[in-house]
Amino acid sequence: MKIIHLLVVLLCVGGLTVHAQDDSSNPLIDALRRDGRFTLLVAALEADALLFDQPSGASITLFAPTDTAFDAALDFLNLTPDQLLADADALRALLINHSADGRLWFRTMAQGVEIEMQSGARFTSALADGRLRVGSAAVSTVDQIAGDHVFHALESVLLPDALLAPARLRVAHFAPDAPAFDVLIDAEPRGLQQISFPAVTGWLELDAGVVTLTFVPVGGGDALIIPAMFTLRPNISSTIALIGSFADDTIFPLLIDDLDLPPLQAGYARITVVHAVENLPELDFRLDRGVFVSRLAYPYTLDDNNGQFTFDKLPGRHVIDMRNYGSTPPLLLEAGEVELIAGARYLGAAVGSADAPTLIIAVEPPRH
């Protein structure tokens, strides 16, 4: 069971389409609605009446994610509120992962107890720095009585395993003066090893969630940079490229825009281009001598330009190159003729030093 604590990305939860039940005798839904922080949770409870199909007089404790918590979880899952509410199985799995039989009070949970949810998942409560936590989720409001029931407000969602499809990760070595390195994932080797410049690894499938990556020189020694945390999302492929200069202490990990969002159109190929050469002026990316991406800059050296761009293109054979933006000094990085295949994904990166740049193309075949 993984507990995801995420940065907040607000989504609109208005205009939800649900089939509401008669909640006139449901004090828990009434209390959540009056509170005002639980719009999506109320819609979910109304859409799944089975949660209240309890023996007469039975009570439940609901660990209630706020709208802010749900917004972050839905962004992580790449779902809209309506998509979640339309999936009865996912909705049920989510709700029973937040409800426990009987009434649990703050005074009991503050002592540190194991809480078994109706899903069978078990979370340990703890009081730390004056705040109650259930698993990794912080509790912001406690002991809210609603008839025979009680609820506690959560600042993050306890996502059940059923909603957590695997994520995919690969790593690129685009720092020309850095040694070959191994990548540790949460301090453990997972197969991303002996990565030399300039290389792009194959894909590694991992559990979705937050991971810490450590880049260690082959043979051991101090990490090349401070370990960095990244959020890997379900069904999303993430590329982490190490760019910059090791000697000048400008090296850092660049998250290249995932190649799966938005979904690739049927019959098209997808191309992502990256400017990864420090101190090199802006570049134009060209197909068949025509500019498709203009003035691509080294990440964060030109306004909010992050050094990368993704677009879809119909299949066919194309001459791919990158040249300097403007006319001087003359510079042309050529990859030659490349055949674009429907369903394939291409990563074109300008790499190397400003004195000796080059253009590489990494190809991912169509997925089946």
Side-chain angles (χ1 to χ4, degrees):
M1 176 61 57
K2 300 185 73 68
I3 304 170
I4 309 301
H5 199 307
L6 303 167
L7 296 176
V8 173
V9 181
L10 294 179
L11 298 175
C12 176
V13 297
L16 299 173
T17 303
V18 301
H19 300 288
Q21 61 168 320
D22 179 6
D23 62 357
S24 60
S25 61
N26 194 318
L28 183 51
I29 289 181
D30 287 341
L32 291 167
R33 182 180 289 114
R34 287 194 301 270
D35 184 289
R37 293 176 294 167
F38 304 99
T39 306
L40 185 52
L41 179 59
V42 167
L45 291 170
E46 289 177 331
D48 191 322
L50 289 176
L51 186 67
F52 300 103
D53 188 17
Q54 305 284 331
S56 178
S59 302
I60 65 171
T61 296
L62 183 66
F63 296 91
T66 64
D67 286 338
T68 297
F70 261 117
D71 290 339
L74 289 173
D75 178 71
F76 174 73
L77 295 170
N78 192 34
L79 291 175
T80 66
D82 280 330
Q83 286 173 328
L84 174 63
L85 293 171
D87 189 334
D89 292 337
L91 194 62
R92 168 128 288 267
L94 191 66
L95 290 176
I96 63 175
N97 212 49
H98 290 80
S99 57
D101 295 328
R103 294 194 293 183
L104 291 169
W105 304 100
F106 170 80
R107 62 179 179 271
T108 300
M109 293 186 291
Q111 298 175 23
V113 297
E114 187 177 70
I115 302 168
E116 182 176 0
M117 302 297 183
Q118 291 180 342
S119 64
R122 297 175 182 270
F123 301 97
T124 300
S125 64
L127 189 63
D129 299 324
R131 298 200 69 187
L132 179 67
R133 304 189 78 85
V134 174
S136 295
V139 182
S140 57
T141 308
V142 301
D143 292 354
Q144 302 299 292
I145 299 173
D148 293 330
H149 312 298
V150 62
F151 72 89
H152 312 276
L154 291 189
E155 294 183 0
S156 54
V157 176
L158 307 175
L159 289 173
D161 290 340
L163 294 184
L164 290 175
R168 299 201 311 160
L169 172 70
R170 70 179 177 183
V171 174
H173 189 330
F174 291 161
D177 67 344
F181 58 77
D182 300 331
V183 178
L184 304 182
I185 300 174
D186 295 331
E188 297 291 335
R190 297 291 299 273
L192 299 176
Q193 296 173 298
Q194 299 186 349
I195 306 167
S196 305
F197 174 84
V200 181
T201 71
W203 292 105
L204 179 66
E205 189 172 281
L206 298 167
D207 290 337
V210 178
V211 297
T212 298
L213 302 186
T214 306
F215 301 83
V216 181
V218 171
D222 295 334
L224 300 180
I225 59 171
I226 297 172
M229 297 178 64
F230 295 93
T231 298
L232 304 182
R233 300 166 65 189
N235 288 321
I236 297 299
S237 304
S238 300
T239 304
I240 311 296
L242 212 57
I243 69 173
S245 170
F246 180 63
D248 295 338
D249 199 26
T250 59
I251 193 170
F252 72 96
L254 175 70
L255 174 63
I256 297 176
D257 290 340
D258 47 53
L259 306 184
D260 300 318
L261 294 177
L264 177 60
Q265 304 175 67
Y268 281 75
R270 174 155 294 176
I271 308 172
T272 297
V273 291
V274 179
H275 186 325
V277 184
E278 192 174 27
N279 299 319
L280 191 70
E282 301 98 273
L283 297 170
D284 288 341
F285 175 80
R286 307 192 308 174
L287 287 179
D288 303 322
R289 312 304 181 193
V291 175
F292 267 76
V293 181
S294 179
R295 208 176 181 188
L296 192 66
Y298 186 75
Y300 313 114
T301 60
L302 180 67
D303 302 324
D304 60 351
N305 188 320
N306 67 355
Q308 54 191 282
F309 191 81
T310 297
F311 61 95
D312 293 348
K313 181 72 176 175
L314 286 169
R317 300 191 69 85
H318 299 276
V319 175
I320 296 178
D321 62 46
M322 298 179 88
R323 59 170 296 165
N324 57 299
Y325 170 75
S327 57
T328 58
L331 172 69
L332 181 64
L333 309 180
E334 296 181 289
E337 190 174 69
V338 176
E339 183 175 4
L340 302 183
I341 300 172
R345 292 163 170 82
Y346 300 80
L347 175 63
V351 300
S353 66
D355 295 330
T358 188
L359 176 60
I360 65 171
I361 305 289
V363 182
E364 179 190 356
R367 300 172 189 169
H368 300 290

